[in-house]
Amino acid sequence: MRNPMKCSKIQKKFSAYQDKELKPQEQEEVRSHLLNCEACREEFAELERVWQTLEGLEEIHPDPWFYRQIVRKIREPREQGLLPTLQHVFRLSRAPVAVSIILIIGILAGTYVGSILARFDLFPFQSNPVSDSSGVLASMRVFDPAPPGTLAEGYYRMVSY
Amino acid sequence: MDKEIPSEDLMARIAEGDDSAFGILVHRHRTSVLNLIYRFIGDRTQAKDLAQEVFLKVWQSAQNYEPKAKFTTWIYRITANLCFNELKSARRKKWYSFNRSDEDGEHTFEETLADSTPSAETILLEKERSRQISDALQSLPENQRMALILKRYDDLSYHEIAQIIGCSVSAVESLLFRAKRALQEKLKNFEK
């Protein structure tokens, strides 16, 4: 006789029942339920059918040289291991390495060119620091009683003789 | 004859530098390891490469090997970890799904010769069925797939599967329950 509550509970145990992983008491409970419930019997038969279907998955066989290839890998760990590792590291870090190299070359070239320009006073936008400071000092003299280059300065020069 | 020597003892001999013990061990476990990988990954060529990696790791671990669990459990744990890592790196590279070309189902020349007794039609049908089953398996989440393969094809107990995958027995029960449900849905129209 079908009892949906009971059937649902039993069906949750089908997988473990099929694998014979239930406790003996539970195993017996499912078995006797299956004897009396046609719906669950069909459900379990479907599970068994799918389980059988999986048998159709092909089995593959190792190549005859399988063992020899392993032995070769064991005997040549350095040749086989180091070079690919380096290649792998290089492959991964290709972009950062290129950017770093370009930056280093740029810094070195800039320093070299800069030192040459500085040596020959060839900086295109550089102003003379000495003339700069004297210009500042001269401009400060506008606050003098007789700023340089004015009539007042000429008058003072005349009277001071 | 080599069946008489337990794999755990062979490992002890390998640790002492006995190459022939390693040969026996590889010969004994190569087909099961290879097929576990093949069923999980679904790619013949990759499976062969990874199976070699497994035995390479066995060789490298021989010195530190302690027979705490059954040897098959130990070697399957190495295999499962390699499979999971392979899928992880394949996902990173994003080429795995595209690379599952027709080559996956190809037989080598020797295998084709060996299998040449049934008619071409039968072979094609079997290959098609195998491909459908493989596709259904590949669609399962990784842990469900591994648990199901270990149960279906190696008939391991839940306890052993739990040790291999690294989870509890109840988690294995749940993984298998869900895997079987999903397969039932995917293979319901499959004709034997």
Side-chain angles (χ1 to χ4, degrees), chain A residues 97-124:
Chain A
V97 165
V99 169
S100 307
I101 289 173
I102 290 170
L103 269 176
I104 290 168
I105 290 174
I107 290 168
L108 288 177
T111 311
Y112 180 69
V113 172
S115 67
I116 288 177
L117 291 177
R119 192 181 303 163
F120 297 105
D121 287 335
L122 291 174
F123 280 112

Short mmCIF file of all heavy atoms in Angstrom, two decimals, chain A residues 97-124:
data_model
loop_
_atom_site.label_atom_id
_atom_site.label_comp_id
_atom_site.label_asym_id
_atom_site.label_seq_id
_atom_site.Cartn_x
_atom_site.Cartn_y
_atom_site.Cartn_z
N VAL A 97 58.31 42.29 -16.70
CA VAL A 97 59.74 42.37 -16.98
C VAL A 97 60.00 43.40 -18.07
O VAL A 97 60.89 44.24 -17.97
CB VAL A 97 60.30 40.98 -17.38
CG1 VAL A 97 61.68 41.11 -18.03
CG2 VAL A 97 60.39 40.07 -16.17
N ALA A 98 59.18 43.38 -19.13
CA ALA A 98 59.36 44.33 -20.24
C ALA A 98 59.19 45.76 -19.74
O ALA A 98 60.00 46.64 -20.05
CB ALA A 98 58.35 44.02 -21.34
N VAL A 99 58.15 45.99 -18.92
CA VAL A 99 57.90 47.35 -18.39
C VAL A 99 59.07 47.81 -17.53
O VAL A 99 59.56 48.94 -17.63
CB VAL A 99 56.58 47.38 -17.59
CG1 VAL A 99 56.43 48.68 -16.83
CG2 VAL A 99 55.39 47.18 -18.53
N SER A 100 59.58 46.88 -16.68
CA SER A 100 60.70 47.22 -15.80
C SER A 100 61.94 47.58 -16.62
O SER A 100 62.63 48.56 -16.32
CB SER A 100 61.05 46.05 -14.88
OG SER A 100 59.89 45.64 -14.22
N ILE A 101 62.21 46.78 -17.67
CA ILE A 101 63.39 47.03 -18.51
C ILE A 101 63.28 48.41 -19.17
O ILE A 101 64.23 49.19 -19.16
CB ILE A 101 63.55 45.91 -19.56
CG1 ILE A 101 64.00 44.62 -18.86
CG2 ILE A 101 64.58 46.31 -20.63
CD1 ILE A 101 64.02 43.40 -19.76
N ILE A 102 62.10 48.71 -19.71
CA ILE A 102 61.90 50.01 -20.37
C ILE A 102 62.11 51.15 -19.36
O ILE A 102 62.77 52.15 -19.65
CB ILE A 102 60.49 50.09 -21.00
CG1 ILE A 102 60.42 49.14 -22.20
CG2 ILE A 102 60.14 51.51 -21.43
CD1 ILE A 102 59.04 48.93 -22.75
N LEU A 103 61.59 50.98 -18.14
CA LEU A 103 61.74 52.01 -17.11
C LEU A 103 63.21 52.22 -16.76
O LEU A 103 63.69 53.36 -16.67
CB LEU A 103 60.98 51.59 -15.85
CG LEU A 103 59.54 52.08 -15.75
CD1 LEU A 103 58.88 51.52 -14.51
CD2 LEU A 103 59.48 53.60 -15.71
N ILE A 104 63.94 51.10 -16.57
CA ILE A 104 65.35 51.20 -16.20
C ILE A 104 66.15 51.89 -17.31
O ILE A 104 66.95 52.79 -17.05
CB ILE A 104 65.93 49.79 -15.89
CG1 ILE A 104 65.31 49.27 -14.58
CG2 ILE A 104 67.45 49.83 -15.77
CD1 ILE A 104 65.54 47.82 -14.31
N ILE A 105 65.89 51.47 -18.57
CA ILE A 105 66.58 52.09 -19.70
C ILE A 105 66.27 53.59 -19.74
O ILE A 105 67.15 54.43 -19.93
CB ILE A 105 66.18 51.40 -21.03
CG1 ILE A 105 66.79 50.00 -21.08
CG2 ILE A 105 66.66 52.21 -22.24
CD1 ILE A 105 66.35 49.17 -22.26
N GLY A 106 65.00 53.94 -19.51
CA GLY A 106 64.58 55.35 -19.54
C GLY A 106 65.31 56.16 -18.47
O GLY A 106 65.82 57.25 -18.73
N ILE A 107 65.38 55.58 -17.24
CA ILE A 107 66.02 56.30 -16.14
C ILE A 107 67.52 56.49 -16.43
O ILE A 107 68.07 57.59 -16.26
CB ILE A 107 65.81 55.54 -14.80
CG1 ILE A 107 64.33 55.64 -14.40
CG2 ILE A 107 66.70 56.11 -13.70
CD1 ILE A 107 63.94 54.71 -13.28
N LEU A 108 68.17 55.40 -16.90
CA LEU A 108 69.61 55.48 -17.19
C LEU A 108 69.88 56.50 -18.30
O LEU A 108 70.79 57.33 -18.18
CB LEU A 108 70.14 54.10 -17.59
CG LEU A 108 70.25 53.07 -16.45
CD1 LEU A 108 70.71 51.73 -16.99
CD2 LEU A 108 71.20 53.56 -15.36
N ALA A 109 69.08 56.43 -19.37
CA ALA A 109 69.28 57.34 -20.50
C ALA A 109 69.05 58.78 -20.05
O ALA A 109 69.82 59.69 -20.39
CB ALA A 109 68.35 56.97 -21.63
N GLY A 110 68.00 59.01 -19.26
CA GLY A 110 67.68 60.35 -18.77
C GLY A 110 68.80 60.90 -17.91
O GLY A 110 69.22 62.06 -18.05
N THR A 111 69.36 60.05 -17.03
CA THR A 111 70.45 60.48 -16.16
C THR A 111 71.68 60.86 -16.98
O THR A 111 72.32 61.89 -16.75
CB THR A 111 70.82 59.33 -15.18
OG1 THR A 111 69.63 58.84 -14.61
CG2 THR A 111 71.78 59.80 -14.12
N TYR A 112 71.98 60.01 -18.00
CA TYR A 112 73.16 60.24 -18.84
C TYR A 112 73.03 61.55 -19.62
O TYR A 112 73.91 62.41 -19.59
CB TYR A 112 73.34 59.06 -19.79
CG TYR A 112 74.52 59.18 -20.71
CD1 TYR A 112 75.83 59.11 -20.22
CD2 TYR A 112 74.35 59.39 -22.08
CE1 TYR A 112 76.93 59.25 -21.07
CE2 TYR A 112 75.43 59.53 -22.93
CZ TYR A 112 76.71 59.45 -22.41
OH TYR A 112 77.77 59.58 -23.25
N VAL A 113 71.89 61.71 -20.29
CA VAL A 113 71.67 62.92 -21.10
C VAL A 113 71.67 64.15 -20.20
O VAL A 113 72.27 65.18 -20.51
CB VAL A 113 70.34 62.81 -21.89
CG1 VAL A 113 69.99 64.13 -22.57
CG2 VAL A 113 70.45 61.71 -22.93
N GLY A 114 71.04 64.00 -19.03
CA GLY A 114 70.97 65.11 -18.09
C GLY A 114 72.36 65.55 -17.64
O GLY A 114 72.66 66.75 -17.57
N SER A 115 73.23 64.55 -17.36
CA SER A 115 74.58 64.89 -16.89
C SER A 115 75.36 65.61 -17.99
O SER A 115 76.12 66.55 -17.71
CB SER A 115 75.31 63.64 -16.42
OG SER A 115 75.56 62.81 -17.52
N ILE A 116 75.18 65.20 -19.26
CA ILE A 116 75.88 65.85 -20.37
C ILE A 116 75.40 67.30 -20.51
O ILE A 116 76.20 68.24 -20.61
CB ILE A 116 75.65 65.08 -21.68
CG1 ILE A 116 76.44 63.78 -21.63
CG2 ILE A 116 76.08 65.91 -22.90
CD1 ILE A 116 76.23 62.89 -22.83
N LEU A 117 74.09 67.49 -20.49
CA LEU A 117 73.53 68.84 -20.62
C LEU A 117 74.00 69.75 -19.50
O LEU A 117 74.34 70.91 -19.71
CB LEU A 117 72.00 68.77 -20.65
CG LEU A 117 71.37 68.13 -21.89
CD1 LEU A 117 69.86 68.07 -21.75
CD2 LEU A 117 71.73 68.92 -23.14
N ALA A 118 74.04 69.15 -18.27
CA ALA A 118 74.46 69.95 -17.13
C ALA A 118 75.92 70.35 -17.27
O ALA A 118 76.31 71.48 -16.94
CB ALA A 118 74.25 69.16 -15.85
N ARG A 119 76.74 69.38 -17.81
CA ARG A 119 78.17 69.65 -17.92
C ARG A 119 78.43 70.82 -18.88
O ARG A 119 79.31 71.63 -18.66
CB ARG A 119 78.89 68.38 -18.40
CG ARG A 119 80.40 68.49 -18.25
CD ARG A 119 81.11 67.25 -18.74
NE ARG A 119 80.63 66.06 -18.05
CZ ARG A 119 80.83 64.83 -18.50
NH1 ARG A 119 81.44 64.63 -19.66
NH2 ARG A 119 80.40 63.79 -17.84
N PHE A 120 77.67 70.89 -19.96
CA PHE A 120 77.92 71.94 -20.96
C PHE A 120 76.91 73.10 -20.86
O PHE A 120 76.79 73.88 -21.79
CB PHE A 120 77.89 71.32 -22.36
CG PHE A 120 78.98 70.30 -22.56
CD1 PHE A 120 78.69 68.95 -22.57
CD2 PHE A 120 80.32 70.70 -22.69
CE1 PHE A 120 79.68 68.01 -22.73
CE2 PHE A 120 81.32 69.74 -22.86
CZ PHE A 120 81.01 68.40 -22.87
N ASP A 121 76.18 73.18 -19.76
CA ASP A 121 75.19 74.26 -19.58
C ASP A 121 74.22 74.37 -20.74
O ASP A 121 73.99 75.45 -21.29
CB ASP A 121 75.91 75.61 -19.39
CG ASP A 121 76.54 75.69 -18.03
OD1 ASP A 121 76.04 74.98 -17.13
OD2 ASP A 121 77.52 76.42 -17.86
N LEU A 122 73.71 73.21 -21.13
CA LEU A 122 72.87 73.22 -22.34
C LEU A 122 71.39 73.00 -22.03
O LEU A 122 70.61 72.72 -22.93
CB LEU A 122 73.34 72.12 -23.31
CG LEU A 122 74.71 72.36 -23.94
CD1 LEU A 122 75.13 71.15 -24.76
CD2 LEU A 122 74.66 73.58 -24.84
N PHE A 123 71.03 73.16 -20.74
CA PHE A 123 69.61 72.96 -20.44
C PHE A 123 68.79 74.02 -21.13
O PHE A 123 69.04 75.22 -20.96
CB PHE A 123 69.37 73.03 -18.92
CG PHE A 123 69.72 71.76 -18.22
CD1 PHE A 123 70.78 71.70 -17.35
CD2 PHE A 123 68.99 70.60 -18.48
CE1 PHE A 123 71.11 70.51 -16.72
CE2 PHE A 123 69.32 69.42 -17.82
CZ PHE A 123 70.38 69.37 -16.96
N PRO A 124 67.85 73.62 -21.98
CA PRO A 124 67.13 74.62 -22.77
C PRO A 124 66.29 75.58 -21.93
O PRO A 124 66.13 76.73 -22.29
CB PRO A 124 66.23 73.77 -23.68
CG PRO A 124 66.16 72.44 -23.04
CD PRO A 124 67.42 72.27 -22.27
#
